[in-house]
Amino acid sequence: MQSADLPVGVEQPPEAIRSREGQLSPFDWYAEMRAEDPVRFDEQREMWDIFRYEDVDRVLKDHDAFTARRTREDNEFSSDAEDDTGMLQTMITVDPPEHNRLRGFVDERFQPGSIREYQPRVEAVTEDVLDALAGKEQFDFVDEFAIPFPVTVIAELLGIPAERRDQFKAWSDALIARPKNGTQTEIQRIQQERQQARQEMSGYFTKLVAERRGGDGDDFITLAANTEELSREEKVGFCILLLLAGNITTTNLLTNAIWSLEEQGLTDAVRTGAIDRKQVVEEVLRYRSPVQSLNRIAIADVELNGKQIQAGDVVTLWLGAANRDPEIFDAPEEFRPEQRPNRHMAFGMGVHFCLGAHLARMEADVAMQQLLERFDRLDANLSNLDPLYSLYGLKSLPCEVNRTAPPAK
Ligand code: HEM
């Protein structure tokens, strides 16, 4: 059995990341590994780590030698062996040619032409989320903007009634919760909550999919309900996948954008249009990739950069390291939105290339535009950053704002 899951690699950081002054800053470690040991076996986690762009690219595109099927039955946070919902096969954990069946029915709806049609709805959601901040001089950018915004967008596109959206967020939180102290009691609690959220969501989407069958709405639930290609369970799995794959990733993109602009003193330049917003989004994706790593399993013996990987071995592909590979990017450790051809792989590569990439880009562009129009200063407090790992962002980003008049509607 397989399940919808996040586009995420390892669950626990390799020791090397943690040991840097207790701070989670993987980039020094990446640089060292890219130069000295770009394909290395971590004895502790019993998996390979791969750091260079060309190697990561090769693994992601070689579907005959590496599978995206769910990994590591022995890791309680990435295996769903205990999931008794008996469903949820989705595109993200399936290889070609089966993958095409699970993705093909929806691909068109995520292409740039369709995404442009959704833009007015995304603009309306942005206004609503910003309106909720009215009158505040301080707010936490993560909790009060970057988390609610993408959840509301995806709920809107799925056609979830507004009154169910809080519930929707609670489910989404439970599904991505990670243990903080790693005690057995905490792990069990998180597993139980995750299981419960998954069952409730499955029940909820099963009902909606049945209700919308034959309907002519343009929402994604109706699209899934009406496709002949998918079983009922696969339709429900698709809905849950959108919620899982599209939220924390976009939250991190937005957070990392404000973090980077404030840190680099570039917020005003973006506000005035001196720096192009779309290039900023691409550079944030490269420089602080919201997904730092992905996993694959070898299904054939392969030689990679002089190392022998055997069928059955798990590999962690460090997108965050590939995105700072000096073979590909000039001055990769610098944030330079305007000065590079940006072939980053923040959205992956190969057949699993992020379905929501164009949507995420548009969301980030619209969000930045409206935020910077509303507030003439953000003053993000960068003194106590606490980056999250693997799905890379911040736990909180306090901002002090000057309010300007909302734009004319
Ligand atoms: C796949 C990143 C936003 C839906 C992926 C993958 C990455 C990724 C790296 C590849 C996973 C793999 O190869 O195993 C991101 C980032 C985002 C983002 C960085 C935001 C900045 C979204 C959004 C949606 C979405 C907004 C949908 C609403 C998906 C889906 C897949 C996927 C469905 C699986 C595609 C497939 O297997 O064919 N994403 N994602 N993502 N993403 Fe995104």
Side-chain angles (χ1 to χ4, degrees), residues 104-127:
F105 81 100
V106 70
D107 235 353
E108 185 57 36
R109 298 287 289 272
F110 281 89
Q111 293 305 314
S114 301
I115 298 301
R116 271 193 294 278
E117 287 173 26
Y118 309 145
Q119 183 156 337
R121 291 155 71 187
V122 172
E123 286 168 352
V125 169
T126 317
E127 281 176 24

PDB file of all heavy atoms in Angstrom, residues 104-127:
ATOM      1  N   GLY A 104      -1.929  12.453 -15.793  1.00  0.00           N
ATOM      2  CA  GLY A 104      -2.355  12.983 -17.096  1.00  0.00           C
ATOM      3  C   GLY A 104      -3.676  13.727 -17.064  1.00  0.00           C
ATOM      4  O   GLY A 104      -3.839  14.755 -17.728  1.00  0.00           O
ATOM      5  N   PHE A 105      -4.636  13.253 -16.261  1.00  0.00           N
ATOM      6  CA  PHE A 105      -5.975  13.853 -16.295  1.00  0.00           C
ATOM      7  C   PHE A 105      -5.985  15.302 -15.788  1.00  0.00           C
ATOM      8  O   PHE A 105      -6.893  16.061 -16.080  1.00  0.00           O
ATOM      9  CB  PHE A 105      -6.963  13.004 -15.475  1.00  0.00           C
ATOM     10  CG  PHE A 105      -6.896  13.265 -13.995  1.00  0.00           C
ATOM     11  CD1 PHE A 105      -7.825  14.090 -13.377  1.00  0.00           C
ATOM     12  CD2 PHE A 105      -5.896  12.694 -13.234  1.00  0.00           C
ATOM     13  CE1 PHE A 105      -7.746  14.346 -12.016  1.00  0.00           C
ATOM     14  CE2 PHE A 105      -5.817  12.950 -11.872  1.00  0.00           C
ATOM     15  CZ  PHE A 105      -6.738  13.769 -11.263  1.00  0.00           C
ATOM     16  N   VAL A 106      -4.933  15.682 -15.049  1.00  0.00           N
ATOM     17  CA  VAL A 106      -4.969  17.001 -14.404  1.00  0.00           C
ATOM     18  C   VAL A 106      -3.868  17.946 -14.898  1.00  0.00           C
ATOM     19  O   VAL A 106      -3.877  19.134 -14.629  1.00  0.00           O
ATOM     20  CB  VAL A 106      -4.904  16.822 -12.863  1.00  0.00           C
ATOM     21  CG1 VAL A 106      -3.546  16.334 -12.423  1.00  0.00           C
ATOM     22  CG2 VAL A 106      -5.273  18.097 -12.127  1.00  0.00           C
ATOM     23  N   ASP A 107      -2.933  17.401 -15.661  1.00  0.00           N
ATOM     24  CA  ASP A 107      -1.757  18.176 -16.086  1.00  0.00           C
ATOM     25  C   ASP A 107      -2.140  19.527 -16.691  1.00  0.00           C
ATOM     26  O   ASP A 107      -1.610  20.565 -16.343  1.00  0.00           O
ATOM     27  CB  ASP A 107      -0.969  17.371 -17.116  1.00  0.00           C
ATOM     28  CG  ASP A 107       0.487  17.214 -16.689  1.00  0.00           C
ATOM     29  OD1 ASP A 107       0.877  17.840 -15.682  1.00  0.00           O
ATOM     30  OD2 ASP A 107       1.213  16.482 -17.357  1.00  0.00           O
ATOM     31  N   GLU A 108      -3.089  19.475 -17.621  1.00  0.00           N
ATOM     32  CA  GLU A 108      -3.504  20.668 -18.350  1.00  0.00           C
ATOM     33  C   GLU A 108      -3.945  21.797 -17.390  1.00  0.00           C
ATOM     34  O   GLU A 108      -3.677  22.976 -17.616  1.00  0.00           O
ATOM     35  CB  GLU A 108      -4.667  20.263 -19.269  1.00  0.00           C
ATOM     36  CG  GLU A 108      -5.178  21.337 -20.198  1.00  0.00           C
ATOM     37  CD  GLU A 108      -4.080  21.889 -21.111  1.00  0.00           C
ATOM     38  OE1 GLU A 108      -3.225  21.090 -21.524  1.00  0.00           O
ATOM     39  OE2 GLU A 108      -4.096  23.117 -21.352  1.00  0.00           O
ATOM     40  N   ARG A 109      -4.588  21.396 -16.303  1.00  0.00           N
ATOM     41  CA  ARG A 109      -5.141  22.381 -15.364  1.00  0.00           C
ATOM     42  C   ARG A 109      -4.063  23.082 -14.541  1.00  0.00           C
ATOM     43  O   ARG A 109      -4.353  23.986 -13.772  1.00  0.00           O
ATOM     44  CB  ARG A 109      -6.161  21.703 -14.439  1.00  0.00           C
ATOM     45  CG  ARG A 109      -7.337  21.130 -15.187  1.00  0.00           C
ATOM     46  CD  ARG A 109      -8.281  22.217 -15.686  1.00  0.00           C
ATOM     47  NE  ARG A 109      -9.010  22.837 -14.602  1.00  0.00           N
ATOM     48  CZ  ARG A 109     -10.159  22.391 -14.124  1.00  0.00           C
ATOM     49  NH1 ARG A 109     -10.735  21.341 -14.665  1.00  0.00           N
ATOM     50  NH2 ARG A 109     -10.750  23.003 -13.124  1.00  0.00           N
ATOM     51  N   PHE A 110      -2.822  22.618 -14.687  1.00  0.00           N
ATOM     52  CA  PHE A 110      -1.720  23.278 -13.976  1.00  0.00           C
ATOM     53  C   PHE A 110      -0.731  23.936 -14.934  1.00  0.00           C
ATOM     54  O   PHE A 110       0.332  24.373 -14.531  1.00  0.00           O
ATOM     55  CB  PHE A 110      -0.997  22.271 -13.060  1.00  0.00           C
ATOM     56  CG  PHE A 110      -1.742  22.019 -11.773  1.00  0.00           C
ATOM     57  CD1 PHE A 110      -2.693  21.023 -11.687  1.00  0.00           C
ATOM     58  CD2 PHE A 110      -1.519  22.816 -10.661  1.00  0.00           C
ATOM     59  CE1 PHE A 110      -3.404  20.812 -10.508  1.00  0.00           C
ATOM     60  CE2 PHE A 110      -2.219  22.613  -9.478  1.00  0.00           C
ATOM     61  CZ  PHE A 110      -3.157  21.604  -9.405  1.00  0.00           C
ATOM     62  N   GLN A 111      -1.102  23.989 -16.208  1.00  0.00           N
ATOM     63  CA  GLN A 111      -0.232  24.657 -17.193  1.00  0.00           C
ATOM     64  C   GLN A 111      -0.437  26.178 -17.100  1.00  0.00           C
ATOM     65  O   GLN A 111      -1.466  26.647 -16.599  1.00  0.00           O
ATOM     66  CB  GLN A 111      -0.546  24.154 -18.611  1.00  0.00           C
ATOM     67  CG  GLN A 111      -0.201  22.697 -18.843  1.00  0.00           C
ATOM     68  CD  GLN A 111       1.245  22.386 -18.514  1.00  0.00           C
ATOM     69  OE1 GLN A 111       2.153  23.107 -18.896  1.00  0.00           O
ATOM     70  NE2 GLN A 111       1.461  21.304 -17.765  1.00  0.00           N
ATOM     71  N   PRO A 112       0.523  26.958 -17.624  1.00  0.00           N
ATOM     72  CA  PRO A 112       0.445  28.414 -17.454  1.00  0.00           C
ATOM     73  C   PRO A 112      -0.887  29.039 -17.893  1.00  0.00           C
ATOM     74  O   PRO A 112      -1.384  29.950 -17.236  1.00  0.00           O
ATOM     75  CB  PRO A 112       1.609  28.929 -18.318  1.00  0.00           C
ATOM     76  CG  PRO A 112       2.598  27.809 -18.305  1.00  0.00           C
ATOM     77  CD  PRO A 112       1.787  26.542 -18.258  1.00  0.00           C
ATOM     78  N   GLY A 113      -1.485  28.537 -18.983  1.00  0.00           N
ATOM     79  CA  GLY A 113      -2.750  29.121 -19.461  1.00  0.00           C
ATOM     80  C   GLY A 113      -3.834  29.020 -18.393  1.00  0.00           C
ATOM     81  O   GLY A 113      -4.550  29.990 -18.098  1.00  0.00           O
ATOM     82  N   SER A 114      -3.958  27.848 -17.784  1.00  0.00           N
ATOM     83  CA  SER A 114      -4.970  27.666 -16.737  1.00  0.00           C
ATOM     84  C   SER A 114      -4.629  28.489 -15.510  1.00  0.00           C
ATOM     85  O   SER A 114      -5.497  29.079 -14.868  1.00  0.00           O
ATOM     86  CB  SER A 114      -5.048  26.192 -16.314  1.00  0.00           C
ATOM     87  OG  SER A 114      -5.361  25.381 -17.407  1.00  0.00           O
ATOM     88  N   ILE A 115      -3.337  28.523 -15.190  1.00  0.00           N
ATOM     89  CA  ILE A 115      -2.926  29.240 -13.981  1.00  0.00           C
ATOM     90  C   ILE A 115      -3.290  30.724 -14.106  1.00  0.00           C
ATOM     91  O   ILE A 115      -3.741  31.357 -13.151  1.00  0.00           O
ATOM     92  CB  ILE A 115      -1.399  29.055 -13.738  1.00  0.00           C
ATOM     93  CG1 ILE A 115      -1.063  27.578 -13.509  1.00  0.00           C
ATOM     94  CG2 ILE A 115      -0.910  29.924 -12.584  1.00  0.00           C
ATOM     95  CD1 ILE A 115      -1.754  26.914 -12.366  1.00  0.00           C
ATOM     96  N   ARG A 116      -3.146  31.279 -15.313  1.00  0.00           N
ATOM     97  CA  ARG A 116      -3.522  32.686 -15.509  1.00  0.00           C
ATOM     98  C   ARG A 116      -5.005  32.896 -15.205  1.00  0.00           C
ATOM     99  O   ARG A 116      -5.412  33.910 -14.652  1.00  0.00           O
ATOM    100  CB  ARG A 116      -3.218  33.137 -16.946  1.00  0.00           C
ATOM    101  CG  ARG A 116      -1.805  33.700 -17.107  1.00  0.00           C
ATOM    102  CD  ARG A 116      -1.633  34.415 -18.426  1.00  0.00           C
ATOM    103  NE  ARG A 116      -1.724  33.511 -19.568  1.00  0.00           N
ATOM    104  CZ  ARG A 116      -0.715  32.751 -20.022  1.00  0.00           C
ATOM    105  NH1 ARG A 116       0.467  32.806 -19.434  1.00  0.00           N
ATOM    106  NH2 ARG A 116      -0.874  31.952 -21.061  1.00  0.00           N
ATOM    107  N   GLU A 117      -5.814  31.890 -15.549  1.00  0.00           N
ATOM    108  CA  GLU A 117      -7.254  32.026 -15.262  1.00  0.00           C
ATOM    109  C   GLU A 117      -7.533  32.041 -13.765  1.00  0.00           C
ATOM    110  O   GLU A 117      -8.503  32.626 -13.300  1.00  0.00           O
ATOM    111  CB  GLU A 117      -8.032  30.872 -15.902  1.00  0.00           C
ATOM    112  CG  GLU A 117      -8.134  31.017 -17.397  1.00  0.00           C
ATOM    113  CD  GLU A 117      -8.765  29.785 -18.029  1.00  0.00           C
ATOM    114  OE1 GLU A 117      -9.535  29.071 -17.355  1.00  0.00           O
ATOM    115  OE2 GLU A 117      -8.442  29.532 -19.210  1.00  0.00           O
ATOM    116  N   TYR A 118      -6.698  31.331 -12.988  1.00  0.00           N
ATOM    117  CA  TYR A 118      -6.949  31.303 -11.529  1.00  0.00           C
ATOM    118  C   TYR A 118      -6.482  32.586 -10.849  1.00  0.00           C
ATOM    119  O   TYR A 118      -6.797  32.819  -9.690  1.00  0.00           O
ATOM    120  CB  TYR A 118      -6.212  30.137 -10.839  1.00  0.00           C
ATOM    121  CG  TYR A 118      -6.400  28.776 -11.451  1.00  0.00           C
ATOM    122  CD1 TYR A 118      -5.356  27.851 -11.458  1.00  0.00           C
ATOM    123  CD2 TYR A 118      -7.618  28.388 -11.996  1.00  0.00           C
ATOM    124  CE1 TYR A 118      -5.512  26.596 -12.017  1.00  0.00           C
ATOM    125  CE2 TYR A 118      -7.780  27.130 -12.558  1.00  0.00           C
ATOM    126  CZ  TYR A 118      -6.720  26.242 -12.571  1.00  0.00           C
ATOM    127  OH  TYR A 118      -6.869  25.004 -13.121  1.00  0.00           O
ATOM    128  N   GLN A 119      -5.699  33.371 -11.557  1.00  0.00           N
ATOM    129  CA  GLN A 119      -5.033  34.501 -10.872  1.00  0.00           C
ATOM    130  C   GLN A 119      -5.998  35.441 -10.140  1.00  0.00           C
ATOM    131  O   GLN A 119      -5.737  35.805  -8.984  1.00  0.00           O
ATOM    132  CB  GLN A 119      -4.139  35.276 -11.844  1.00  0.00           C
ATOM    133  CG  GLN A 119      -3.383  36.392 -11.132  1.00  0.00           C
ATOM    134  CD  GLN A 119      -2.112  36.802 -11.820  1.00  0.00           C
ATOM    135  OE1 GLN A 119      -1.521  36.044 -12.582  1.00  0.00           O
ATOM    136  NE2 GLN A 119      -1.664  38.017 -11.552  1.00  0.00           N
ATOM    137  N   PRO A 120      -7.131  35.840 -10.755  1.00  0.00           N
ATOM    138  CA  PRO A 120      -8.032  36.742 -10.016  1.00  0.00           C
ATOM    139  C   PRO A 120      -8.508  36.131  -8.697  1.00  0.00           C
ATOM    140  O   PRO A 120      -8.680  36.834  -7.704  1.00  0.00           O
ATOM    141  CB  PRO A 120      -9.213  36.928 -10.990  1.00  0.00           C
ATOM    142  CG  PRO A 120      -8.655  36.618 -12.346  1.00  0.00           C
ATOM    143  CD  PRO A 120      -7.581  35.594 -12.134  1.00  0.00           C
ATOM    144  N   ARG A 121      -8.712  34.800  -8.688  1.00  0.00           N
ATOM    145  CA  ARG A 121      -9.163  34.164  -7.434  1.00  0.00           C
ATOM    146  C   ARG A 121      -8.043  34.180  -6.402  1.00  0.00           C
ATOM    147  O   ARG A 121      -8.284  34.347  -5.208  1.00  0.00           O
ATOM    148  CB  ARG A 121      -9.628  32.737  -7.724  1.00  0.00           C
ATOM    149  CG  ARG A 121     -10.934  32.752  -8.534  1.00  0.00           C
ATOM    150  CD  ARG A 121     -11.118  31.501  -9.340  1.00  0.00           C
ATOM    151  NE  ARG A 121     -11.420  30.337  -8.519  1.00  0.00           N
ATOM    152  CZ  ARG A 121     -11.492  29.104  -9.002  1.00  0.00           C
ATOM    153  NH1 ARG A 121     -11.273  28.880 -10.285  1.00  0.00           N
ATOM    154  NH2 ARG A 121     -11.784  28.103  -8.215  1.00  0.00           N
ATOM    155  N   VAL A 122      -6.821  33.999  -6.858  1.00  0.00           N
ATOM    156  CA  VAL A 122      -5.686  34.033  -5.921  1.00  0.00           C
ATOM    157  C   VAL A 122      -5.504  35.458  -5.389  1.00  0.00           C
ATOM    158  O   VAL A 122      -5.213  35.670  -4.206  1.00  0.00           O
ATOM    159  CB  VAL A 122      -4.407  33.501  -6.618  1.00  0.00           C
ATOM    160  CG1 VAL A 122      -3.175  33.716  -5.749  1.00  0.00           C
ATOM    161  CG2 VAL A 122      -4.578  32.025  -6.956  1.00  0.00           C
ATOM    162  N   GLU A 123      -5.736  36.437  -6.253  1.00  0.00           N
ATOM    163  CA  GLU A 123      -5.637  37.835  -5.798  1.00  0.00           C
ATOM    164  C   GLU A 123      -6.691  38.122  -4.719  1.00  0.00           C
ATOM    165  O   GLU A 123      -6.413  38.781  -3.718  1.00  0.00           O
ATOM    166  CB  GLU A 123      -5.819  38.788  -6.988  1.00  0.00           C
ATOM    167  CG  GLU A 123      -4.581  38.794  -7.878  1.00  0.00           C
ATOM    168  CD  GLU A 123      -4.794  39.501  -9.231  1.00  0.00           C
ATOM    169  OE1 GLU A 123      -5.943  39.857  -9.550  1.00  0.00           O
ATOM    170  OE2 GLU A 123      -3.803  39.659  -9.947  1.00  0.00           O
ATOM    171  N   ALA A 124      -7.895  37.577  -4.934  1.00  0.00           N
ATOM    172  CA  ALA A 124      -8.963  37.803  -3.947  1.00  0.00           C
ATOM    173  C   ALA A 124      -8.609  37.148  -2.611  1.00  0.00           C
ATOM    174  O   ALA A 124      -8.816  37.730  -1.535  1.00  0.00           O
ATOM    175  CB  ALA A 124     -10.287  37.263  -4.484  1.00  0.00           C
ATOM    176  N   VAL A 125      -8.038  35.939  -2.664  1.00  0.00           N
ATOM    177  CA  VAL A 125      -7.635  35.266  -1.416  1.00  0.00           C
ATOM    178  C   VAL A 125      -6.553  36.088  -0.714  1.00  0.00           C
ATOM    179  O   VAL A 125      -6.594  36.291   0.503  1.00  0.00           O
ATOM    180  CB  VAL A 125      -7.107  33.836  -1.709  1.00  0.00           C
ATOM    181  CG1 VAL A 125      -6.441  33.242  -0.471  1.00  0.00           C
ATOM    182  CG2 VAL A 125      -8.229  32.926  -2.191  1.00  0.00           C
ATOM    183  N   THR A 126      -5.605  36.606  -1.479  1.00  0.00           N
ATOM    184  CA  THR A 126      -4.528  37.397  -0.877  1.00  0.00           C
ATOM    185  C   THR A 126      -5.110  38.606  -0.148  1.00  0.00           C
ATOM    186  O   THR A 126      -4.723  38.912   0.983  1.00  0.00           O
ATOM    187  CB  THR A 126      -3.549  37.909  -1.966  1.00  0.00           C
ATOM    188  OG1 THR A 126      -3.298  36.862  -2.886  1.00  0.00           O
ATOM    189  CG2 THR A 126      -2.231  38.357  -1.353  1.00  0.00           C
ATOM    190  N   GLU A 127      -6.051  39.263  -0.812  1.00  0.00           N
ATOM    191  CA  GLU A 127      -6.669  40.434  -0.166  1.00  0.00           C
ATOM    192  C   GLU A 127      -7.348  40.048   1.136  1.00  0.00           C
ATOM    193  O   GLU A 127      -7.202  40.734   2.152  1.00  0.00           O
ATOM    194  CB  GLU A 127      -7.702  41.069  -1.106  1.00  0.00           C
ATOM    195  CG  GLU A 127      -7.048  41.933  -2.154  1.00  0.00           C
ATOM    196  CD  GLU A 127      -8.054  42.498  -3.155  1.00  0.00           C
ATOM    197  OE1 GLU A 127      -9.245  42.610  -2.818  1.00  0.00           O
ATOM    198  OE2 GLU A 127      -7.617  42.810  -4.273  1.00  0.00           O
TER     199      GLU A 127
END
